[in-house]
Amino acid sequence: MNCLRQVLTQVEGSALAHDIQRLMILSNFGLIAGISPTQLEKWFHSAFVDA
């Protein structure tokens, strides 16, 4: 889970992440954890400056 921690720390500090981080780490974690796609999308819109 170190990769998830690193990405979330980066997003919290800069509101940015590479598209690969968004897809391969954040989105896959959401899928595995059973997070609603709608809720994940809302978080993306609130967390990223370029969402």
Side-chain angles (χ1 to χ4, degrees):
M1 300 310 291
N2 183 39
C3 60
L4 183 60
R5 181 183 55 80
Q6 288 181 17
V7 173
L8 290 174
T9 301
Q10 177 183 336
V11 171
E12 183 179 42
S14 67
L16 294 170
H18 191 274
D19 60 321
I20 297 299
Q21 292 171 308
R22 294 181 198 203
L23 294 171
M24 302 305 290
I25 297 173
L26 299 174
S27 296
N28 279 335
F29 175 77
L31 180 66
I32 292 168
I35 299 171
S36 160
T38 303
Q39 289 302 108
L40 190 58
E41 179 186 14
K42 287 179 183 179
W43 180 80
F44 272 82
H45 284 286
S46 68
F48 292 97
V49 295
D50 62 347

